[in-house]
Amino acid sequence: MYLVFTTNYFPWLTIIVVLPISAGSLIFFLPHRGNKLIRWYTISISTLELLLMTYIFCYHFQLDDPLIQLAEDYKWINFFDFYWRLGIDGLSIGPILLTGFITTLATLAAWPVTRDSRLFHFLMLAMYSGQIGSFSSRDLLLFFIMWELELIPVYLLLSMWGGKKRLYSATKFILYTAGGSIFLLVGVLGIGLYGSNEPTFHFETLANQSYPLALEIIFYIGFLIAFAVKSPIIPLHTWLPDTHGEAHYSTCMLLAGILLKMGAYGLVRINMELLPHAHSIFSPWLMIVGTMQIIYAASTSLAQRNLKKRIAYSSVSHMGFIIIGIGSITDTGLNGAFLQIISHGFIGAALFFLAGTSYDRIRLVYLDEMGGMALPIPKMFTMFSILSMASLALPGMSGFVAELIVFFGIISSQKYFLMPKIFIIFVMAIGMILTPIYLLSMSRQIFYGYKLFNAPNSYFFDSGPRELFVSISIFLPVIGIGIYPDFVLSLSGEKVEAILANYFYR
């Protein structure tokens, strides 16, 4: 393998993709001075990466340009023309910044992990690289490789640092996601090899290529299955509650905050951009599945005794809004889906962090065994209550704006008749009524009543400075986006209009 530099730009994207995993591999060569050195090293690398991303975004990215920016094109493997192609646009910059923010806080949340901490922190940094690589890839084969880079770190983090049923959950996770990856690989190779003697995996080339409708539908179904596992879309969602129920809460933050968003990103980036005719055919089905998912997951969440599984099903329910926004084929709906990706990334990560820190104190995970925690831990009670309100889409919070924009996207869609639109909105409204029921009952079971308060040895430590810092750091963007959503919508607006104008409105 060799690299040939073929661009005039400084390779910013290559640096931010390669830095975490290469710096993470140096963890194994650090001197043996306990876990403190490893923790600070990991947090420093994550923070440096986040600062570097912020610098690139502020000084090298033009918001009003829908085209690919900071493009890099390197010849990697000459034998079959494999390129290292990276580039970002309005759709990828938001998830990349979200990845940097949540991963940095997750490394801080992983402070209590002491067993095999070198390997644990290396795996977190390896995930960091894979996630940023997926969001910035402009080559389908490279996208697949970055997509796969996620699997082994998550499997090891789950199977080595999970709960009692960790091996069952890890096996279920790898079977589902590796099974979905087979469909992704077949789709990537099929599109890349179609219609030419020389295979091409370049996004720009493939976006301008036309396929017979039957073949486009076959490709679309393959990609849809792969992204439905990751998103997750029912009925391919059952790995998620088990994984969240057993994983360490810092891993849950990465899963809920970033990993699920990769599936939604793939739906827009590949299914919408590369296969627009098939997307037009499948979009009514996406709307139906998204609507069913909101109701089904909200109802199932209410029946969960396990705190982390209840939050996991709430994630599945909120992902339904993203699917509906993508299926609406309107700039409003698609912008709403993008805003929900960012919003739920913050809220989901925060709820899992708070659930994990409460477990650290009381060593209980079943809701019917809890109660009366509001008095001993008032700071944690306050943050849990505020972020639960954000999750149930309280006005002034990011979730409310995202779901409202998705509603407007359905109403303004020219693709659907009036009666189907009214029916979908009605069912979504029922889902939005169920959301406060399961979230408020969760808060009531954890914090109110007298169970733990009257129990012997019922004194617990409240949130410390580290935990308060993580909670408040996530809360600030949630309230900021809720008050001024244009900060996020300005990232995606131009690119969304370009996608719809180029592929759907022509």
Side-chain angles (χ1 to χ4, degrees), residues 97 103 196 215 247 294 313 436 474:
L97 288 170
T103 308
S196 63
L215 188 64
I294 291 170
Y313 273 108
I474 298 179

Side-chain angles (χ1 to χ4, degrees), residues 88-357:
I88 54 173
D89 58 14
L91 278 183
S92 48
I93 190 75
I96 286 173
L97 288 170
L98 176 72
T99 302
F101 190 79
I102 297 296
T103 308
T104 304
L105 292 178
T107 55
L108 195 57
W111 197 266
V113 174
T114 54
R115 184 169 58 84
D116 295 331
S117 62
R118 288 171 187 268
L119 180 60
F120 183 92
H121 289 94
F122 168 73
L123 293 172
M124 290 188 82
L125 290 172
M127 279 181 73
Y128 204 169
S129 281
Q131 287 157 346
I132 296 167
S134 298
F135 292 129
S136 57
S137 294
R138 299 303 302 165
D139 184 279
L140 264 183
L141 197 56
L142 182 63
F143 177 84
F144 173 76
I145 289 169
M146 293 297 176
W147 182 271
E148 290 299 284
L149 187 57
E150 288 285 308
L151 300 188
I152 301 303
V154 178
Y155 175 77
L156 291 174
L157 285 168
L158 184 55
S159 60
M160 293 178 69
W161 291 273
K164 291 177 183 176
K165 295 182 180 176
R166 59 184 181 273
L167 292 177
Y168 166 78
S169 302
T171 306
K172 194 171 183 179
F173 167 80
I174 204 78
L175 286 174
Y176 267 82
T177 48
S181 297
I182 292 168
F183 288 96
L184 180 61
L185 179 61
V186 170
V188 165
L189 294 176
I191 280 190
L193 298 171
Y194 173 77
S196 63
N197 295 324
E198 292 185 4
T200 177
F201 298 102
H202 194 196
F203 267 89
E204 272 66 35
T205 309
L206 295 172
N208 296 314
Q209 192 167 312
S210 58
Y211 309 93
L213 186 58
L215 188 64
E216 189 168 324
I217 287 171
I218 291 169
F219 287 151
Y220 189 95
I221 292 170
F223 286 122
L224 181 61
I225 291 170
F227 299 140
V229 172
K230 209 84 155 203
S231 288
I233 299 173
I234 56 169
L236 301 174
H237 68 289
T238 57
W239 63 271
L240 183 75
D242 289 316
T243 302
H244 276 309
E246 298 303 321
H248 187 267
Y249 56 87
S250 58
T251 311
C252 288
M253 290 174 72
L254 298 176
L255 286 169
I258 307 158
L259 197 78
L260 307 189
K261 313 306 176 278
M262 289 169 64
Y265 175 81
L267 271 176
V268 178
R269 180 63 78 203
I270 294 178
N271 288 43
M272 275 193 84
E273 277 197 66
L274 305 189
L275 308 165
H277 300 102
H279 186 74
S280 294
I281 294 167
F282 277 89
S283 57
W285 296 103
L286 286 178
M287 298 279 278
I288 292 166
V289 170
T291 310
M292 288 167 55
Q293 182 160 326
I294 291 170
I295 295 288
Y296 162 78
S299 307
T300 313
S301 180
L302 189 58
Q304 299 301 312
R305 288 177 61 228
N306 185 309
L307 170 60
K308 288 166 81 178
K309 286 190 177 181
R310 180 168 290 199
I311 299 170
Y313 273 108
S314 80
S315 293
V316 177
S317 180
H318 285 103
M319 292 302 286
F321 287 95
I322 297 172
I323 299 158
I324 290 170
I326 292 169
S328 69
I329 314 185
T330 60
D331 55 350
T332 313
L334 200 52
N335 275 310
F338 178 79
L339 187 59
Q340 178 73 339
I341 286 173
I342 304 299
S343 166
H344 185 261
F346 289 122
I347 296 168
L351 286 176
F352 277 111
F353 171 71
L354 290 166
T357 50

Side-chain angles (χ1 to χ4, degrees), residues 53-69:
M53 283 178 205
T54 310
Y55 168 76
I56 294 165
F57 166 64
C58 290
Y59 294 100
H60 297 279
F61 186 82
Q62 303 296 322
L63 279 178
D64 53 356
D65 185 358
L67 299 175
I68 295 299
Q69 301 179 49

